[in-house]
Amino acid sequence: MEFLDEGLRTGPAIVFVHGIPGSVDWFAGVAERLTGAYRVIRLDVHEQGARTGDFGAESRATPIIELLDELALTGVTIVGHSFGAELALAVAARSARVARVVVVGQAPDYRAASIPSAARWVVRPWSVRLAQHWTPGLVIRLANRAVFAPRFRWSSAPGLAEAVVRDFRSAAPAGLAYAVGERAADLAADPLDARVAALDLPVLAVHGRHDHLYDSTETLSRFAAAGARTHLVEHAGHAPQVEQPDEFVTVLGEFLRD
């Protein structure tokens, strides 16, 4: 697995896991603010599942667990954004090296999702490959603009405008198809709030008020009922760690200290 290992090698370890599509760039601003006091590890998981065709969280969590063992990390805080949140919870349930979990921009299941039901029939591996090849970068950026809050500007997150194009073009087509299709059934059978309730670890759920994918009120209410600490970022959409990195780092720091 490819990863970035930055900051204090002797500091508390924070492991960041991005979503689908995504990359280590989605945690760049946060990492920059944390490396002075923490060991910050950003995982690149976009290739996971592409070889086997299994995009379920349990299968994709195994290489992460093996990496934590290889690096001999202890007391890890694992932070997952969007689909990465599901991976973070799967790793925490199986690895004693994890001490706490942070769920970012992810609902327990698709009950609170705004994903059109027709998407599972339209978003197929072959159609994704065509879109990846032929869609202009400007159109990809415009489509991703809806992920963020209304006042978000690409200039506030240097490099992200290029990253969203690169991430879309390099994402596994079958992974994107899974995210809008079979994943709904997987989460319905085992929602993330049930996994939080079964996890004997502190969990923090962070969500943006303007998230157009998952309703923030229902999402945080369900995680709170499952025993998680929650935080609503007022001026953020689906990626509060990108849109409001200072607020995100402050909340994360308080969670770690407590």
Side-chain angles (χ1 to χ4, degrees):
M1 176 182 293
E2 295 184 3
F3 62 96
L4 296 178
D5 192 347
E6 306 163 302
L8 291 177
R9 289 302 180 96
T10 58
I14 307 177
V15 174
F16 292 98
V17 188
H18 64 77
I20 298 179
S23 66
V24 296
D25 297 284
W26 288 72
F27 290 105
V30 168
E32 181 182 358
R33 290 161 171 79
L34 291 171
T35 50
Y38 298 94
R39 182 176 183 178
V40 178
I41 299 173
R42 290 183 277 162
L43 306 184
D44 183 346
V45 299
H46 80 276
E47 288 289 344
Q48 285 183 262
R51 299 182 189 88
T52 64
D54 185 356
F55 289 92
E58 289 302 316
S59 173
R60 299 181 73 202
T62 299
I64 301 175
I65 295 170
E66 292 172 350
L67 179 64
L68 299 187
D69 291 339
E70 181 180 336
L71 297 177
L73 300 176
T74 58
V76 172
T77 298
I78 186 165
V79 182
H81 172 234
S82 197
F83 187 86
E86 187 177 353
L87 294 181
L89 287 170
V91 171
R94 293 166 51 190
S95 175
R97 297 185 182 278
V98 176
R100 56 189 69 80
V101 184
V102 182
V103 173
V104 185
Q106 177 60 56
D109 51 33
Y110 281 9
R111 281 166 43 191
S114 299
I115 301 174
S117 58
R120 65 176 303 173
W121 306 110
V122 175
V123 181
R124 299 297 182 92
W126 65 267
S127 63
V128 172
R129 280 191 289 271
L130 288 175
Q132 288 175 316
H133 184 74
W134 293 106
T135 307
L138 176 60
V139 175
I140 296 173
R141 284 191 290 273
L142 287 173
N144 275 274
R145 183 61 188 78
V147 169
F148 306 105
R151 296 182 182 179
F152 175 75
R153 297 292 179 269
W154 292 114
S155 58
S156 67
L160 189 67
E162 295 75 24
V164 296
V165 177
R166 186 170 59 248
D167 295 343
F168 176 71
R169 297 203 193 282
S170 63
L176 292 174
Y178 169 78
V180 300
E182 295 176 15
R183 187 178 184 231
D186 289 346
L187 289 180
D190 190 12
L192 300 191
D193 53 345
R195 303 185 204 184
V196 168
L199 194 64
D200 190 23
L201 293 174
V203 177
L204 168 66
V206 180
H207 214 86
R209 170 76 73 184
H210 301 281
D211 190 336
H212 298 302
L213 290 177
Y214 305 107
D215 180 79
S216 59
T217 301
E218 180 177 345
T219 293
L220 293 183
S221 176
R222 288 180 60 182
F223 277 127
R229 178 186 297 192
T230 63
H231 180 81
L232 178 65
V233 182
E234 287 288 346
H235 303 292
H238 184 58
Q241 81 282 8
V242 171
E243 301 168 73
Q244 299 295 336
D246 289 326
E247 180 176 348
F248 184 86
V249 167
T250 297
V251 173
L252 177 62
E254 293 172 352
F255 179 59
L256 267 60
R257 287 190 294 273
D258 291 347

